[in-house]
Amino acid sequence: MEGKVSKNFSVNAITGMLRNEKLRYILISGVISIFGFVKSFLFLRLFNFLDLGLINIAQNFIISISLLQIGIITGGYRLYCYKSEEIRSLINSAVLYFFFILSSVLLIVLGVAVVFFDTDISIYQLFFFVMIGVLSLYGNWVTCKILAIGKIKLLNRANLISAILSILIIFLFKYIGVWAALLAFLSQS
């Protein structure tokens, strides 16, 4: 009898915890990280070294552009959490203005780099790398806004769908080559 009570208690405790949106956010984030590992292994199996190098460069663009946010995203998130709707609108406008300036500067730098440096990477791929980086950073901002207003269920759904979509897109590699990996990055931005 005692075993049944503790077993039911454990099941009830687990189902109760799974109803908690914040805990589900953490669990889904963990699942999405596992999907990231799966994607990495798929990349290793499906792409040659040249393509893997290009994928690595794209990831470096994404990471480097994320570093350029200079605290704008985290500071905006902190303010967004505690301010009125009117102030939130101003914060959002300021962050979007930052994205406009960042995108403009990155495109100018890209244009100068293409003119003065000879790379084996096409201008379209370089432009796409910059676009993925900026959209990834923007996705981070949207995530912060959704967390700030407490719509965790919506965020969980969006993150899970984009992670699954990014894995499915990789299987287009037979038709579009390395662009499948780049589109997978974009779909998860």
Side-chain angles (χ1 to χ4, degrees), residues 82-134:
Y82 302 109
K83 300 299 178 181
S84 68
E85 192 60 40
E86 183 179 322
I87 300 295
R88 284 181 181 173
S89 179
L90 292 172
I91 294 166
N92 192 53
S93 295
V95 171
L96 291 177
Y97 184 69
F98 166 77
F99 278 110
F100 173 74
I101 291 172
L102 178 64
S103 299
S104 300
V105 168
L106 288 171
L107 290 175
I108 290 168
V109 169
L110 178 65
V112 169
V114 167
V115 169
F116 291 106
F117 299 103
D118 185 25
T119 67
D120 290 334
I121 303 170
S122 77
I123 182 73
Y124 303 110
Q125 288 172 325
L126 289 170
F127 175 77
F128 203 70
F129 296 169
V130 170
M131 186 176 79
I132 295 170
V134 171

Side-chain angles (χ1 to χ4, degrees), residues 10-21:
S10 299
V11 170
N12 290 337
I14 291 170
T15 54
M17 287 189 305
L18 290 177
R19 287 189 184 121
N20 182 329
E21 288 296 327

Side-chain angles (χ1 to χ4, degrees), residues 24-82:
R24 269 197 296 203
Y25 174 74
I26 293 168
L27 292 174
I28 289 174
S29 294
V31 168
I32 290 169
S33 293
I34 292 169
F35 285 174
F37 280 109
V38 169
K39 264 195 317 195
S40 295
F41 288 117
L42 284 172
F43 288 162
L44 288 173
R45 289 200 59 60
L46 301 175
F47 296 103
N48 62 36
F49 286 127
L50 182 63
D51 290 342
L52 288 172
L54 204 56
I55 291 167
N56 187 1
I57 292 170
Q59 288 175 318
N60 282 312
F61 265 82
I62 294 167
I63 291 167
S64 298
I65 290 171
S66 292
L67 292 174
L68 294 176
Q69 60 106 355
I70 320 166
I72 300 287
I73 303 297
T74 51
Y77 167 70
R78 288 181 183 156
L79 291 172
Y80 207 85
C81 284
Y82 302 109

